[in-house]
Amino acid sequence: MSNTVIDRAAQTEHPVLDVLAERWSPRAYDAETPIDEAKLASALEAARWSPSASNSQPWRFIVARRGSAAHHGIHSALMGFNQVWAGDAAVLIVAITETTDADGAPISHAVYDLGQAVAHLSVQAHHDGLHVHQMSGFVADQLRETFGIDERLTPMTVLALGDLGDATRLPEALQEREVAPRTRRPIDETLLVNA
Amino acid sequence: MSNTVIDRAAQTEHPVLDVLAERWSPRAYDAETPIDEAKLASALEAARWSPSASNSQPWRFIVARRGSAAHHGIHSALMGFNQVWAGDAAVLIVAITETTDADGAPISHAVYDLGQAVAHLSVQAHHDGLHVHQMSGFVADQLRETFGIDERLTPMTVLALGDLGDATRLPEALQEREVAPRTRRPIDETLLVNA
């Protein structure tokens, strides 16, 4: 296995857009190539135009390119295996959302709408040949301290974003995951009612 | 204004996929045409292949076609203006997520991952010429009672899904919204750090 594109397209039962079927979350990132700034800008622009409750746009991002103090700061807050591979990514992004308003009242759809925005970002990035891997394993309080994140804001995920790298550089356990088939439960089990 | 496609494409500052730039949330739905079952299946398939924390796939859907008791049941739980227009949609979907596990412990990314799944569904639907409008204004407890939704599951949004309809049938206030430009704050205000 070398630095080639692995065919991990989903075995869909109904046709979906190539970018949706082919999107996956690698752990092998190219540690040399800098981010293509135009592609990064397009990915963030895609998130920008995501829908949200009453157009509230609760999403916020910390964007850090490899080599910056911010990239190091995010990397050092990752937990477990994430630290092993994610530092190679050309960009690390902390995906944050505004969970309470100025009066301290919860914003009901802030987390949901962040998920939508990151999905739009990911779809655009994959269309442009980049890859995204979202992580929930990080020490949120460490990120809060490092970046002075307001208490009204909640870091939900860290995204690795960049070009695909050489999977043979990964530890063996992660290499296996890198080529494992993508699986999902049948759609019938997702539909509580289909009327 | 008749039953024609309105150009509401976002004025993006960086190029994004047409389907992302052109996606918007109409209120005028075609009240006659039944849903194209193949397109509905593709939209649900797109949601199926969305990413989630540890591939937990927390999303569940109640899918109801116009004319069914379930469609009526969802429509009657909508609040305010949503009741005025959403009943025309060929399909109403309740987007639900598994917010606590079998032991009652919260699932941290259940709501976020549902947002991603609905984003994937919406992108596929718009690609196929359907439209999606997500609503947060509904009486959740009424949906719980109507459909016997388990307490471990939380209804987060109701989606109107279908073909675009004649906007002149909408009340005047909603007609104005239907043609208003889509707006988002500048990306710089979204980036807490850009390093």
Side-chain angles (χ1 to χ4, degrees):
Chain A
M1 186 163 55
S2 67
N3 191 5
T4 53
V5 174
I6 305 160
D7 180 11
R8 301 193 77 240
Q11 300 301 306
T12 62
E13 292 176 20
H14 304 278
V16 302
L17 279 161
D18 286 348
V19 69
L20 299 181
E22 293 168 1
R23 185 212 56 74
W24 62 293
S25 305
R27 291 179 179 82
Y29 281 88
D30 180 335
E32 307 296 333
T33 310
I35 191 68
D36 180 314
E37 291 290 340
K39 292 179 180 180
L40 174 59
S42 288
L44 294 169
E45 185 78 8
R48 181 184 174 212
W49 289 97
S50 185
S52 55
S54 304
N55 201 21
S56 51
Q57 308 169 63
W59 46 77
R60 301 289 187 281
F61 299 113
I62 292 173
V63 175
R65 292 158 186 81
R66 193 179 48 230
S68 67
H71 193 279
H72 180 74
I74 299 170
H75 182 241
S76 67
L78 296 176
M79 299 196 303
F81 262 135
N82 291 337
Q83 278 228 349
V84 174
W85 60 266
D88 284 348
V91 175
L92 292 174
I93 297 176
V94 187
I96 297 167
T97 196
E98 195 177 355
T99 38
T100 54
D101 68 16
D103 300 324
I107 299 177
S108 65
H109 286 69
V111 170
Y112 178 94
D113 288 337
L114 177 67
Q116 295 205 80
V118 172
H120 283 236
L121 184 159
S122 300
V123 167
Q124 182 65 45
H126 277 270
H127 170 76
D128 288 335
L130 297 175
H131 285 75
V132 175
H133 189 127
Q134 302 181 43
M135 294 166 270
S136 57
F138 59 89
V139 184
D141 285 346
Q142 186 175 330
L143 290 179
R144 283 191 179 283
E145 189 166 337
T146 301
F147 295 103
I149 298 170
D150 192 279
E151 62 183 10
R152 292 178 43 222
L153 304 175
T154 303
M156 287 298 299
T157 50
V158 172
L159 283 58
L161 172 70
D163 292 289
L164 202 59
D166 180 354
T168 63
R169 294 181 60 228
L170 292 172
E172 197 167 339
L174 296 185
Q175 288 189 37
E176 287 169 16
R177 290 201 211 174
E178 207 73 352
V179 294
R182 296 170 57 210
T183 58
R184 297 291 189 276
R185 67 166 181 261
I187 195 71
D188 286 352
E189 295 175 23
T190 291
L191 304 185
L192 302 183
V193 175
N194 186 16
Chain B
M1 187 162 55
S2 67
N3 191 6
T4 53
V5 175
I6 304 161
D7 180 8
R8 301 193 77 241
Q11 300 299 306
T12 62
E13 292 175 19
H14 303 279
V16 302
L17 278 162
D18 286 348
V19 69
L20 299 182
E22 294 168 0
R23 184 212 55 74
W24 63 293
S25 305
R27 290 179 180 81
Y29 280 87
D30 180 334
E32 307 294 334
T33 310
I35 192 67
D36 180 314
E37 291 290 341
K39 293 181 179 179
L40 174 60
S42 288
L44 295 169
E45 185 79 7
R48 180 183 173 213
W49 289 96
S50 186
S52 56
S54 303
N55 201 22
S56 50
Q57 310 169 61
W59 47 77
R60 300 290 187 281
F61 299 115
I62 292 172
V63 175
R65 292 157 186 80
R66 194 179 47 229
S68 67
H71 193 279
H72 180 74
I74 299 170
H75 182 241
S76 67
L78 296 176
M79 299 194 304
F81 263 134
N82 290 338
Q83 278 227 350
V84 174
W85 58 266
D88 284 349
V91 175
L92 292 174
I93 297 177
V94 186
I96 297 167
T97 196
E98 195 177 354
T99 39
T100 55
D101 68 17
D103 299 323
I107 298 177
S108 65
H109 286 69
V111 171
Y112 177 94
D113 288 336
L114 177 66
Q116 295 205 80
V118 172
H120 283 237
L121 183 159
S122 299
V123 167
Q124 182 66 45
H126 278 271
H127 170 76
D128 288 335
L130 297 174
H131 285 74
V132 175
H133 189 127
Q134 300 182 42
M135 295 166 270
S136 57
F138 60 88
V139 184
D141 284 346
Q142 187 175 331
L143 291 179
R144 283 191 179 283
E145 190 166 338
T146 301
F147 295 104
I149 298 170
D150 191 277
E151 61 182 13
R152 292 178 44 222
L153 303 175
T154 304
M156 287 298 301
T157 50
V158 172
L159 283 58
L161 171 71
D163 292 289
L164 202 60
D166 181 355
T168 62
R169 293 181 59 228
L170 292 172
E172 197 166 340
L174 295 185
Q175 286 190 38
E176 287 170 16
R177 291 200 211 176
E178 206 73 351
V179 294
R182 294 170 58 210
T183 58
R184 296 292 189 275
R185 67 165 181 263
I187 195 73
D188 286 352
E189 297 175 22
T190 290
L191 304 185
L192 303 183
V193 175
N194 187 16

